């Protein structure tokens, strides 16, 4: 299987080159040349497998250079009982007859980023060995909250890796900040940046492209790489859980083998829903993909009108991990829809220069055949959380609530009640304050005390990794100005 840049198919890469490199040299995203079809009996074969075995089965289709033995070792290490608090790893909870919630937050950081970031370190270190890279990889991450902690946990104490995370000083929740500054491990570093997420992200991108800094690091035996969702090694493990959820539903006789389902995903950078699209291309019987957004509804407009326009107001919402106006992974979908890297390159150039592009009618029609877009604001998000808890006794976080709202809107508008799988992306305890407000609390306790308040209100225990933060020591207190991020890199690599 060969990998190409979304903007140029002249140069082809192996899987390990794609994963080691992270991003193509021309700025495009490294993407499989074609999406392999699952063998005819695959869904039958996988029905009675454990999650780890399903992961090997699916990932192997894309990773010829990796043996089944290698992938089995990675899957057992990444998704073991010491990491995930559910033996199913990604359990499916049926909410009502034809609505099923895929819980993706049973890992060490209580958000869906763990599903890929527990696997990526194994794929990346093996890829470095296969490509004979001798330097130590220094992974730089700018985070608005969930990716940073997920990457720190994934790469903690992994040999020949260093990981440095930059978060906006006043831009993350108290729980998220505590999760990061108490991080354990000998190869990790965390720094706050004075500024917002965009400042941190811009700073990291500058470090990547600064030749002098690269040379300085190379002399010390390091090179930079990325752990965000532009890396193919993060998208691939996400395909697995959609296939796994479908197998669970067939095994448990909630749907018939071969029956079509719809999938609804709360979306930011477009990585998670893209993985669902690829699962469909592999042959999973998916009818509609419902893309759920918050008030930053750039994707809703794109799906409805074929115009992507980031020139709009940015809102800080109750679902902060979806507060994003440039959805990087959409570029991979554009390649799939156009089959034409030159056309994708044209759209991306326009996005860069004007913040806007319009796809052709043909592409818009193809897009609308598979995708539907809906959004909701914070008021509606909280209404959904309250309704779900009162009606079903099911506590969901703000991001998941946006998805349930989108599904509700879709069903009301179309009357289509095909069985639906809703991706649940975070534990409600990660966003205590908003969830408590949704449940009608007015005085919200400070910091970790809000975990107890949510437990008192709902009778549900906080996940162990969040409750355990109380006993952790703060290890990282560094704050840098955005111009001085290179100093933080230097001091953290000492
Ligand atoms: C990252 C994240 C999302 C958005 O996922 P994308 O793959 O970026 O679309 C949604 N919800 C939560 C809780 C997240 O952490």
């Amino acid at each position: 299987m060969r990998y190409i840049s979304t903007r140029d198919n002249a140069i082809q890469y192996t899987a390990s080159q794609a994963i080691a490199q992270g991003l193509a040299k021309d700025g495009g995203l490294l993407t499989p040349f074609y999406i392999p079809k699952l063998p005819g009996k695959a869904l039958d074969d996988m029905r009675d497998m454990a999650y780890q075995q399903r992961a090997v089965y699916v990932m192997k289709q894309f990773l010829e250079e990796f043996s089944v033995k290698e992938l089995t070792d990675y899957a057992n290490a990444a998704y073991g009982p010491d990491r995930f608090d559910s033996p199913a790893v990604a359990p499916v909870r049926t909410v009502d007859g034809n609505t099923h919630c895929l819980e993706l937050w049973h890992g060490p950081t209580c958000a869906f980023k763990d599903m890929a970031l527990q696997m990526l370190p194994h794929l990346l270190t093996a890829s470095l060995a296969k490509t004979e890279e001798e330097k130590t990889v220094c992974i730089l991450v700018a985070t608005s909250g969930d990716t940073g902690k997920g990457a720190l946990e994934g790469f903690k104490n992994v040999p020949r890796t260093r990981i440095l995370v930059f978060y906006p000083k006043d831009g993350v929740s108290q729980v998220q900040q505590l999760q990061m500054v108490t991080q354990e491990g000998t190869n990790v570093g965390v720094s706050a940046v004075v500024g917002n997420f965009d400042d941190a992200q811009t700073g990291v991108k500058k470090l990547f492209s600064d030749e002098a800094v690269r040379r300085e690091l190379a002399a010390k035996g390091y090179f930079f790489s990325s752990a965000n969702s532009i890396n193919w090694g993060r998208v691939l493990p996400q395909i697995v859980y959609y296939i796994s959820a479908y197998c669970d539903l067939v095994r448990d006789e909630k749907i018939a083998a071969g029956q079509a389902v719809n999938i609804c995903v709360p979306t930011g950078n477009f990585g998670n829903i893209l993985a669902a699209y690829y699962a469909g291309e592999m042959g999973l019987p998916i009818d509609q993909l419902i893309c759920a957004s918050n008030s930053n509804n750039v994707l809703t407009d794109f799906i409805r009108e074929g115009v992507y326009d980031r020139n709009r107001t940015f809102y800080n919402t109750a679902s902060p991990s979806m507060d994003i106006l440039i959805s990087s992974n959409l570029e991979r979908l554009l390649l799939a829809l156009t089959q034409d890297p030159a056309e994708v390159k044209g759209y991306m150039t326009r996005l860069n220069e004007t913040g806007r592009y319009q796809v052709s009618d043909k592409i818009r029609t193809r897009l609308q055949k598979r995708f539907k877009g809906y959004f909701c604001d914070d008021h509606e998000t909280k209404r959904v959380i309250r309704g779900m808890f009162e009606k079903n006794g099911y506590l969901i976080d703000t991001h998941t609530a946006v998805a349930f709202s989108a599904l509700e809107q879709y069903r009301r508008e179309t009357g289509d009640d095909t069985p639906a799988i809703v991706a649940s992306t975070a534990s409600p305890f990660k966003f205590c304050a908003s969830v408590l407000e949704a449940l009608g609390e007015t005085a919200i306790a400070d910091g970790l005390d809000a975990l107890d308040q949510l437990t008192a209100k709902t009778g549900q225990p906080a996940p162990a990794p969040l409750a355990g933060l109380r006993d952790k020591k703060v290890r990282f207190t560094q704050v840098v100005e955005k111009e001085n991020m290179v100093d933080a890199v230097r001091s953290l690599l000492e």
Side-chain angles (χ1 to χ4, degrees):
M1 157 106 22
R2 292 276 145 172
Y3 290 72
I4 57 167
S5 163
T6 42
R7 301 179 194 179
D8 178 6
N9 57 11
I11 309 173
Q12 308 207 338
Y13 303 79
T14 63
S16 54
Q17 286 170 333
I19 292 168
Q21 206 165 303
L23 192 69
K25 296 242 158 46
D26 62 0
L29 309 193
L30 292 165
T31 303
F33 192 58
Y34 67 94
I35 301 299
K37 293 275 180 232
L38 284 169
K41 271 171 42 62
L43 294 176
D44 260 2
D45 288 346
M46 275 188 277
R47 200 184 58 189
D48 295 312
M49 287 184 186
Y51 189 86
Q52 293 83 346
Q53 294 169 289
R54 290 171 180 166
V56 175
Y57 197 118
V58 174
M59 296 200 323
K60 177 68 185 154
Q61 315 291 322
F62 292 87
L63 302 174
E64 281 151 3
E65 307 153 80
F66 292 71
S67 70
V68 167
K69 163 86 172 66
E70 282 175 299
L71 294 177
T72 303
D73 289 346
Y74 307 160
N76 289 339
Y79 304 121
D82 56 326
R83 306 280 170 121
F84 281 76
D85 70 7
S86 163
V89 182
V92 181
R93 172 172 168 145
T94 294
V95 178
D96 63 41
N98 63 356
T99 312
H100 310 280
C101 193
L102 170 58
E103 295 182 349
L104 300 172
W105 40 263
H106 288 275
T109 79
C110 308
F112 95 95
K113 304 296 194 289
D114 290 328
M115 300 305 300
L117 282 166
Q118 286 296 312
M119 177 56 74
L120 179 66
H122 299 286
L123 295 175
L124 183 65
T125 48
S127 296
L128 295 177
K130 287 180 201 291
T131 55
E132 300 181 348
E133 175 60 62
E134 282 177 353
K135 292 199 259 322
T136 293
V137 58
C138 175
I139 293 154
L140 295 183
V141 180
T143 182
S144 60
D146 291 330
T147 300
K149 178 62 180 178
L152 287 163
E153 274 301 314
F155 283 94
K156 154 178 94 178
N157 296 335
V158 173
R160 297 199 32 231
T161 71
R162 299 294 307 252
I163 168 136
L164 308 180
V165 169
F166 294 95
Y167 69 91
K169 183 168 168 289
D170 301 309
V172 300
S173 80
Q174 284 178 311
V175 170
Q176 286 175 320
Q177 179 174 11
L178 266 176
Q179 278 187 299
M180 289 188 278
V181 297
T182 58
Q183 178 64 43
E184 292 163 357
T186 54
N187 63 336
V188 303
V190 177
S191 175
V193 178
V194 181
N196 60 25
F197 169 67
D198 281 331
D199 296 322
Q201 167 105 334
T202 306
V204 161
K205 283 191 181 150
K206 274 199 195 128
L207 286 170
F208 267 110
S209 55
D210 186 327
E211 271 308 317
V213 175
R214 275 180 180 272
R215 269 200 304 276
E216 182 185 329
L217 281 188
K220 292 185 185 164
Y222 292 110
F223 78 101
F224 284 140
S225 188
S226 156
N228 68 28
S229 65
I230 54 179
N231 192 317
W232 175 248
R234 272 197 59 187
V235 178
L236 176 56
Q238 299 183 163
I239 299 174
V240 176
Y241 46 72
Y242 292 109
I243 295 174
S244 176
Y246 188 91
C247 291
D248 278 1
L249 291 175
V250 173
R251 183 197 61 204
D252 299 343
E253 299 180 355
K254 304 260 171 80
I255 58 173
Q259 188 177 350
V261 296
N262 292 336
I263 292 184
C264 179
V265 185
T267 297
N269 219 8
F270 210 78
N272 202 1
I273 195 167
L274 178 77
Y277 172 80
Y278 286 146
E281 293 300 288
M282 291 183 80
L284 196 71
I286 298 171
D287 186 11
Q288 294 297 311
L289 291 159
I290 300 163
C291 175
S293 301
N294 62 28
S295 295
N296 296 296
N297 57 356
V298 62
L299 287 166
T300 317
D301 289 348
F302 177 64
I303 292 167
R304 292 186 183 175
E305 289 149 28
V307 177
Y308 195 97
D309 191 352
R310 60 163 298 209
N311 304 305
R312 58 176 71 212
T313 311
F314 175 92
Y315 299 99
N316 286 306
T317 74
S319 43
S321 302
M322 294 152 63
D323 291 345
I324 180 158
L325 292 179
I326 302 185
S327 298
S328 314
N329 270 299
L330 190 60
E331 187 171 341
R332 287 192 167 112
L333 179 68
L334 290 173
L335 180 67
L337 297 176
T338 60
Q339 299 286 320
D340 181 358
E343 186 173 345
V344 175
K345 186 174 177 176
Y347 294 144
M348 290 304 113
T349 305
R350 255 159 277 160
L351 180 64
N352 238 336
E353 286 168 0
T354 66
R356 180 183 187 279
Y357 63 89
Q358 176 163 12
V359 296
S360 68
D361 288 349
K362 189 175 79 189
I363 299 311
R364 196 192 59 220
T365 308
R366 283 187 193 158
L367 172 73
Q368 290 173 341
K369 203 167 153 236
R370 300 299 312 282
F371 288 85
K372 299 291 175 283
Y374 294 88
F375 76 98
C376 78
D377 64 14
D378 283 354
H379 185 75
E380 164 74 358
T381 303
K382 288 176 184 166
R383 182 195 68 79
V384 171
I385 293 173
R386 188 171 59 245
M388 183 65 79
F389 188 67
E390 284 171 359
K391 186 155 166 254
N392 303 298
Y394 188 31
L395 190 62
I396 55 173
D397 94 294
T398 47
H399 303 76
T400 308
V402 170
F404 274 105
S405 169
L407 178 64
E408 201 179 299
Q409 295 177 55
Y410 169 78
R411 284 181 167 163
R412 199 168 48 224
E413 200 173 290
T414 62
D416 173 13
D417 54 341
T418 299
I421 297 172
V422 176
S424 176
T425 49
S427 159
F429 283 86
K430 257 194 126 156
F431 302 95
C432 283
S434 299
V435 173
L436 280 163
E437 277 170 28
L439 298 178
E441 295 287 285
T442 44
I444 312 288
D446 206 34
L448 295 177
D449 291 342
L451 298 175
D452 296 333
Q453 191 180 359
L454 189 53
T455 296
K457 181 84 187 169
T458 63
Q460 300 189 14
L466 300 183
L469 286 173
R470 273 206 182 80
D471 309 321
K472 303 264 184 202
K473 242 183 48 226
V474 171
R475 291 185 65 204
F476 300 100
T477 53
Q478 182 167 22
V479 182
V480 290
E481 298 294 329
K482 61 187 179 205
E483 298 79 20
N484 301 336
M485 284 168 63
V486 66
D487 298 335
V489 172
R490 287 192 186 109
S491 75
L492 291 166
L493 286 180
E494 279 310 309

